[in-house]
Amino acid sequence: MTDDKVYRWIGSSPVRPDGIDKVTGHAAFGADRLLPGMLHGLILRSPHAHARILSIDTSAADRIPGVLAIVTGTDFPDVTAAMEETGESQIDVRDLARNVMARDKALYHGHAVAAVAATTTTIAEEALRAIKVEYEPLPAVLDIESAMAEDAPLLHEELRTKGLAEMPARGSNVAAVVTYTRGDPEAGFAASDVVIEREFSTPTVHQGYIEPHAVVAECRPDDQATVWCCTQGPFVVRTLTSKVLGWDVSSIKVIPSEIGGGFGGKTTIYLEPVAILLARKSGRPVKMVMSREEVFRATGPTSASRVRIKLGASRAGKILAAEAELKYEAGAFKGSPITPGCMCVLVAYDIDNFRITGYDVLVNKPKVAAYRAPGAPMAAFAMESMVDEMAHRLGLDPIRFRLDNAVREGSKAAYGPKFPPIGLVSCLEQAALHPHYQAPLGPNQGRGVAVGFWFNVGMQSTATLNVQEDGTATVVTASPDIGGSRASMALMAAETLGIAYERINAVVGDTEMAGYCDVTGGSRTTFATGMAVIQAARDVVDQMRRRAAKIWGIDPDQVTWRDGQAIPPAEHATEQSLPPLDFAALAKSAAKTGGSFVGRASLTAQGAGAGFGVHLCDVQVDPETGKVDVVRYTAIQDTGKAIHRAYVEGQMQGGAAQGIGWALNEAYVYDAHGIMENPAFLDYRMPVALDLPLIDTVIVEVPNPAHPYGVRGVGETPIVPPLAAVANAVFDAVGVRYCDLPLNPPRVLSGLLPAAG
Amino acid sequence: MVRVVLGNELRALAGGADELLLAATDTQALLAELRRRYPALADHVEHQSAIAIDGLIHQHPFAEPLAEHSEIHIIPRITAG
Amino acid sequence: MTKQHVLTTINGEQTEFLCEPQQSLLGALREDLGLTGTKEGCGTGDCGACSVIVNGRLTCACLVLAVEADGQQIETIEGVAEPQALHPIQQQFLEHAALQCGICTPGLIMATKALLEKNPDPSEHEIRYWLSGNLCRCTGYDKIVRAVLAAAAQLRGAEA
Ligand code: FES
Ligand code: FES
């Protein structure tokens, strides 16, 4: 099923409105702002993974000439309120504040404990060395097993596990237990002909955006602050910063810079409140830019995981029962993506009997942040590996086996509701038919298939459309453009208005100039902000129809809008007295006919459409070294209507590449004390151009009924399948089922050796 | 009457029921009805949940219309990555 | 600390500046000369966001001291386009949607320029090899490689 409506602009791939700035170096990213008198701020970070902070003495640092401000935890209000409503949902402000600046305990190596602002970076570095912090080191918990052990040292003594039948009396490092059940799993396993069970693990990995976090803050004497920063959501920065500082939101203005990648990692805050306090203390603008090492040690990563899956199926190839146990590391504060992990783990299959249990586990590592389809890739790695193994055990083609068990419209999702129209079956069919799936394999090569899913989300968006007197229009939203969203906004506006794409500019506004938008994330921007843009464009069309009616002296209902023109009813047109008035003519005469046109729309988008994808991966394994090369890759995905085709393909390719990195090389390596040993791109090995083949894409467009043009969202699903697609391909190549990522040469080789011996 | 289907994780908040039949024509009325009968469940829905109405997920429902026999699922809100 | 005087040529223009002895060329370009088109992704020579061309050689500006720029010819992203026209590499990056966030783009354009000056007709493999010092986290490189192939073809056509 695809959408075959004919569009003039939607589905094309024009050059983006901000293109020239991006290829000439003019686009200003987070660290590119320079202000007169600007100070440089740096953060002092804990050298221990777990320690009580006994005292901080800043007096020596204070005396260094050129040091103009120092802040520590006590300069921040002691936020005690726990859960607070923010725009999007509830967040624990106390945890957020303590992650921004430690108060009594440092909870991971790299946790911020103090900050300085000085006239030069060199002086700021000297000041950091002069700050004396007295620590009482505490035993650190560094993995899921030791964190869950009976007598484990506790990160937060007061924390009680949520989700148990009764509130436990004792503290724990398990912040929450999540369960989903359906039917009778025991009976399902008893009825199965084949039952398999394995445990999988994935390491801590980072989003790896190339642009480090950066902020410039100014603070006026009346405590009005302006923050310029690279973020996925200026309004979210404003909300979170205001909560941490205890200020009103209206006293903080956030200007989003261009953003050099986020992938979820820039949906929260780290530096912003610190920079504001330093600016306030010093009376000067303060710039803070993280080093790459700080980015690794103190921001972003996503959970290391352990996932155990038990699967039962009939000889005929029907999955009859499943049991999944997921344990995700949250880092130093609760809140791993365990819930979406549990919701996603079995989501692609129609299974009558299952039990899913998830654990949110605290460890002395940085607090995890959202990362592209948070929680889904690790769950899919385990499940898709098991599905592959089951197909193999049953002697069935892996796509056929998946088709026989796949969810479709009307199937009950593992998390409850029945699916509206979805594209999993179409994607699987496309995969089976794709030349890639039929192509012969060479020696030491193998082919893997895996499915991925993401919900996609809606949330709040606002758009304004200003019509200029030369017949052009400017779309203003506060959704930062991370992957070409200005172009998709302009395309949807052009389509709705019926004017040329080139006549539309799309800009990203700040928290004073644009209406509220939630983050660019959750694959929501083209869907939700796009919906607002379409409504704002319809608002303009409506105003133009009424204006034309006024000019013609007829009833507005008689005026239709077609191809960018107001068209009078037939009886007037045939008299030739009323030629149509087009967009440009109406715009030009606006000043004389009642004022300019401004369209606006504000909404909470509902009905985000689930996105399924299927990836095909061919690898070649070097039996001598264990090195795995991805030699062919195809990503197939139901994106709903693709607005800007090339950027939709780009999301699919980029997600696949990130997932391949996760599968093959990326991992935080910790020493016994909880210190990350590879905080640099040299040793934290992300895919480079030479590591990847061209990535073929097939866009399946099952329209989302909730969006005017059928958009679902695209960005997150493509990172979900690659982990298992790669591992399944390696299995196909060498006959070894690897359950622990990454599949780097030493690991692959160690798996090959016993087989060879 | 709309049918609210409760997953195992929510049943304790509704006295163990796995399904509720409620009279409501939109989600605002639904929440009011929940608040009257199961205040803890209403709190949970208001602060932490999305609502799927006949399969379509409403992340922050306010007064979404409900059909005569709509099937409602209460699911966790998904955050953006 | 006494500042050092540096006399260099940037994008064909004689440029003088003062810098601290330990300052990187990247720092001088960005902080002192306001040429922020050259980006910093790591500061350790691993990402290529800071790629500039020094005397015709592709160089990580974060690994060069600012004082070492004395007497050299430096090209940065700001000097690639003509006043009225983009360079074919820039044009092809746009047309092939070879950038998403765009933070890696200035570095990749400089690396491509250095490549095509050396090898006007690179294969896909040669492109991937040459660009392996430039990390892009958004695109998966597919569209970048295609843009470079197209730019190479266009430049060869222009010369022919
Ligand atoms: S900033 Fe120079 S290589 Fe990364
Ligand atoms: S486009 Fe974002 S890093 Fe390359």
Side-chain angles (χ1 to χ4, degrees):
Chain A
M1 177 173 56
T2 51
D3 177 13
D4 33 47
K5 254 191 227 116
V6 179
Y7 294 110
R8 176 141 174 246
W9 296 105
I10 283 175
S12 62
S13 301
V15 167
R16 58 204 280 173
D18 54 327
I20 292 181
D21 286 346
K22 294 260 158 83
V23 296
T24 53
H26 287 122
F29 289 81
D32 296 345
R33 192 164 173 85
L34 308 167
L35 292 178
M38 194 169 77
L39 304 178
H40 299 268
L42 289 179
I43 287 193
L44 182 69
R45 298 184 178 277
S46 168
H48 303 287
H50 196 188
R52 207 171 299 286
I53 299 170
L54 302 176
S55 66
I56 304 179
D57 178 2
T58 59
S59 53
D62 244 335
R63 285 194 296 271
I64 298 172
V67 173
L68 296 190
I70 301 182
V71 297
T72 65
T74 51
D75 289 287
F76 290 80
D78 189 0
V79 180
T80 46
M83 302 306 278
E84 278 208 47
E85 286 293 320
T86 65
E88 183 191 335
S89 61
Q90 281 193 320
I91 64 135
D92 190 316
V93 183
R94 186 172 185 275
D95 282 357
L96 177 72
R98 278 165 167 70
N99 192 38
V100 164
M101 192 59 74
R103 287 189 83 88
D104 18 72
K105 265 170 102 179
L107 292 162
Y108 52 94
H109 177 258
H111 197 166
V113 296
V116 303
T119 47
T120 69
T121 315
T122 314
I123 297 174
E125 280 164 359
E126 190 189 336
L128 290 190
R129 286 191 294 273
I131 296 175
K132 290 188 202 69
V133 186
E134 207 186 330
Y135 295 98
E136 176 198 333
L138 301 169
V141 278
L142 299 172
D143 58 50
I144 290 168
E145 244 152 57
S146 42
M148 291 178 78
E150 247 333 272
D151 52 350
L154 297 180
L155 276 81
H156 303 272
E157 289 79 6
E158 69 291 351
L159 185 116
R160 297 291 178 273
T161 309
K162 270 177 47 179
L164 299 176
E166 272 169 38
M167 180 64 89
R170 293 182 42 203
S172 166
N173 290 322
V174 178
V177 179
V178 185
T179 54
Y180 288 90
T181 52
R182 178 185 296 164
D184 183 345
E186 275 65 37
F189 286 120
S192 297
D193 297 312
V194 179
V195 176
I196 53 176
E197 182 171 2
R198 281 187 191 273
E199 190 173 28
F200 297 81
S201 76
T202 64
T204 304
V205 295
H206 199 275
Q207 292 80 350
Y209 32 81
I210 305 300
E211 179 199 34
H213 297 260
V215 54
V216 176
E218 291 180 278
C219 189
R220 290 196 325 214
D222 62 351
D223 280 355
Q224 282 289 322
T226 302
V227 175
W228 156 285
C229 61
C230 49
T231 174
Q232 292 177 241
F235 280 96
V236 174
V237 169
R238 188 179 72 162
T239 306
L240 299 181
T241 304
S242 75
K243 299 276 185 202
V244 168
L245 293 177
W247 292 14
D248 294 334
V249 287
S250 55
S251 58
I252 303 169
K253 169 180 175 177
V254 179
I255 306 173
S257 67
E258 295 304 322
I259 167 173
F263 313 109
K266 291 177 184 164
T267 57
T268 185
I269 56 166
Y270 300 99
L271 299 173
E272 290 79 359
V274 182
I276 289 178
L277 286 192
L278 289 171
R280 183 184 194 225
K281 266 198 168 177
S282 62
R284 303 263 291 267
V286 174
K287 178 175 186 171
M288 302 183 83
V289 182
M290 283 195 196
S291 67
R292 177 56 51 184
E293 182 177 337
E294 288 180 288
V295 172
F296 275 119
R297 292 202 194 284
T299 74
T302 193
S303 310
S305 74
R306 298 198 77 84
V307 180
R308 188 182 55 79
I309 296 214
K310 184 175 168 187
L311 212 55
S314 69
R315 218 177 304 284
K318 182 81 190 111
I319 301 175
L320 299 179
E323 191 174 79
E325 184 185 71
L326 298 81
K327 297 167 184 163
Y328 284 8
E329 288 183 4
F333 298 91
K334 64 182 175 285
S336 74
I338 189 66
T339 300
C342 290
M343 292 166 80
C344 288
V345 64
L346 304 178
V347 75
Y349 304 101
D350 204 353
I351 307 175
D352 290 334
N353 306 293
F354 62 74
R355 180 183 305 111
I356 305 168
T357 315
Y359 299 87
D360 184 27
V361 186
L362 290 140
V363 291
N364 289 111
K365 294 182 184 173
K367 175 181 175 13
V368 301
Y371 181 19
R372 211 167 190 165
M378 313 79 133
F381 167 56
M383 182 60 181
E384 289 299 300
S385 294
M386 291 302 277
V387 168
D388 191 68
E389 179 160 352
M390 184 61 93
H392 188 77
R393 290 280 286 271
L394 295 170
L396 297 171
D397 170 79
I399 294 184
R400 186 72 254 160
F401 179 57
R402 285 176 171 84
L403 271 169
D404 288 344
N405 291 282
V407 289
R408 50 198 82 214
E409 180 173 1
S411 307
K412 257 177 94 177
Y415 52 84
K418 291 200 182 81
F419 277 114
I422 48 171
L424 175 57
V425 167
S426 306
C427 290
L428 285 166
E429 286 167 353
Q430 293 280 330
L433 292 174
H434 198 281
H436 181 168
Y437 199 59
Q438 319 296 339
L441 289 163
N444 297 318
Q445 293 190 344
R447 177 164 300 144
V449 181
V451 166
F453 161 87
W454 186 247
F455 306 89
N456 302 328
V457 302
M459 314 203 289
Q460 280 188 83
S461 284
T462 307
T464 316
L465 205 146
N466 301 319
V467 178
Q468 320 293 354
E469 65 264 37
D470 60 358
T472 61
T474 309
V475 176
V476 185
T477 74
S479 290
D481 179 354
I482 319 184
S485 61
R486 286 182 183 92
S488 14
M489 297 307 131
L491 281 169
M492 286 182 276
E495 192 72 48
T496 311
L497 294 172
I499 66 172
Y501 168 79
E502 291 72 26
R503 304 201 63 77
I504 295 181
N505 187 21
V507 301
V508 179
D510 63 47
T511 55
E512 283 181 353
M513 277 149 51
Y516 191 95
C517 281
D518 277 310
V519 292
T520 291
S523 306
R524 65 175 286 281
T525 300
T526 305
F527 169 70
T529 303
M531 214 189 267
V533 168
I534 293 163
Q535 283 190 18
R538 286 179 177 168
D539 186 17
V540 165
V541 166
D542 209 48
Q543 293 171 32
M544 288 194 159
R545 278 181 43 242
R546 276 185 276 125
R547 190 71 58 88
K550 205 162 117 194
I551 294 170
W552 290 328
I554 62 176
D555 193 79
D557 290 342
Q558 295 180 278
V559 181
T560 49
W561 186 266
R562 202 180 329 120
D563 298 330
Q565 292 185 320
I567 299 179
E571 69 262 29
H572 293 288
T574 48
E575 289 164 24
Q576 306 247 316
S577 55
L578 302 179
L581 281 167
D582 70 9
F583 185 89
L586 286 161
K588 191 172 172 200
S589 64
K592 282 180 261 161
T593 59
S596 63
F597 299 96
V598 178
R600 62 186 180 85
S602 179
L603 50 81
T604 300
Q606 311 290 5
F612 280 96
V614 177
H615 288 195
L616 301 174
C617 172
D618 291 1
V619 298
Q620 178 160 331
V621 182
D622 181 339
E624 300 293 317
T625 62
K627 181 166 188 286
V628 176
D629 282 311
V630 176
V631 293
R632 185 166 182 179
Y633 205 94
T634 304
I636 301 153
Q637 189 178 327
D638 170 23
T639 64
K641 187 71 203 163
I643 299 297
H644 189 292
R645 253 192 120 72
Y647 286 124
V648 167
E649 292 166 3
Q651 288 292 322
M652 291 163 66
Q653 293 162 335
Q658 270 183 323
I660 291 169
W662 200 335
L664 289 181
N665 279 301
E666 295 179 35
Y668 273 45
V669 180
Y670 280 98
D671 73 5
H673 307 288
I675 299 173
M676 184 195 185
E677 295 183 300
N678 58 336
F681 283 142
L682 188 64
D683 306 308
Y684 181 91
R685 181 73 166 71
M686 307 199 310
V688 302
L690 199 54
D691 294 331
L692 297 170
L694 292 172
I695 297 171
D696 203 359
T697 57
V698 178
I699 299 175
V700 174
E701 298 178 291
V702 178
N704 174 10
H707 186 277
Y709 295 122
V711 170
R712 285 176 189 272
V714 54
E716 292 176 282
T717 301
I719 199 175
V720 183
L723 286 62
V726 171
N728 292 343
V730 171
F731 173 78
D732 190 42
V734 301
V736 179
R737 174 77 50 200
Y738 291 93
C739 297
D740 305 292
L741 296 185
L743 300 184
N744 54 22
R747 170 156 292 137
V748 171
L749 199 58
S750 71
L752 293 180
L753 290 176
Chain B
M1 286 293 200
V2 299
R3 203 156 63 89
V4 180
V5 184
L6 298 175
N8 58 298
E9 72 286 2
L10 293 179
R11 289 175 198 160
L13 302 179
D18 57 359
E19 221 177 87
L20 307 170
L21 283 177
L22 300 174
T25 53
D26 66 25
T27 51
Q28 198 178 12
L30 178 77
L31 191 64
E33 189 59 16
L34 285 179
R35 185 152 304 288
R36 203 171 60 77
R37 295 171 51 175
Y38 306 107
L41 180 59
D43 273 341
H44 183 89
V45 171
E46 190 169 353
H47 298 301
Q48 300 178 34
S49 304
I51 289 182
I53 306 170
D54 299 318
L56 228 48
I57 298 181
H58 294 63
Q59 182 101 342
H60 296 93
F62 173 58
E64 310 304 327
L66 300 175
E68 177 63 31
H69 298 293
S70 279
E71 184 178 307
I72 314 283
H73 288 259
I74 297 165
I75 61 176
R77 253 176 230 165
I78 302 303
T79 50
Chain C
M1 218 173 292
T2 341
K3 292 210 169 184
Q4 313 276 313
H5 176 257
V6 176
L7 177 61
T8 181
T9 307
I10 299 178
N11 299 325
E13 201 176 306
Q14 259 214 1
T15 308
E16 276 182 275
F17 61 87
L18 294 176
C19 66
E20 293 183 24
Q22 79 282 13
Q23 194 175 13
S24 69
L25 173 59
L26 178 61
L29 288 172
R30 291 179 48 83
E31 308 281 325
D32 298 316
L33 300 169
L35 295 172
T36 56
T38 307
K39 305 299 177 191
E40 174 161 354
C42 67
T44 52
D46 301 319
C47 77
C50 64
S51 300
V52 295
I53 296 175
V54 181
N55 299 335
R57 270 188 65 179
L58 183 63
T59 304
C60 289
C62 71
L63 295 183
V64 175
L65 289 173
V67 291
E68 294 179 279
D70 197 72
Q72 317 293 312
Q73 299 277 339
I74 295 164
E75 294 168 61
T76 72
I77 185 68
E78 285 88 353
V80 174
E82 297 295 321
Q84 300 293 312
L86 292 179
H87 189 282
I89 299 171
Q90 294 171 314
Q91 195 58 45
Q92 293 297 349
F93 264 65
L94 285 183
E95 267 156 33
H96 284 80
L99 51 141
Q100 286 175 26
C101 79
I103 193 83
C104 65
T105 309
L108 273 156
I109 288 174
M110 298 313 287
T112 303
K113 192 159 180 284
L115 163 65
L116 298 185
E117 275 160 18
K118 263 194 147 59
N119 178 357
D121 190 10
S123 67
E124 184 201 328
H125 185 81
E126 287 168 331
I127 292 172
R128 288 185 180 278
Y129 187 84
W130 186 272
L131 297 184
S132 280
N134 291 75
L135 288 173
C136 173
R137 189 59 156 173
C138 299
T139 63
Y141 305 103
D142 182 291
K143 293 185 189 304
I144 293 174
V145 170
R146 292 175 199 274
V148 176
L149 285 166
Q154 188 184 339
L155 285 164
R156 286 197 310 276
E159 273 162 28

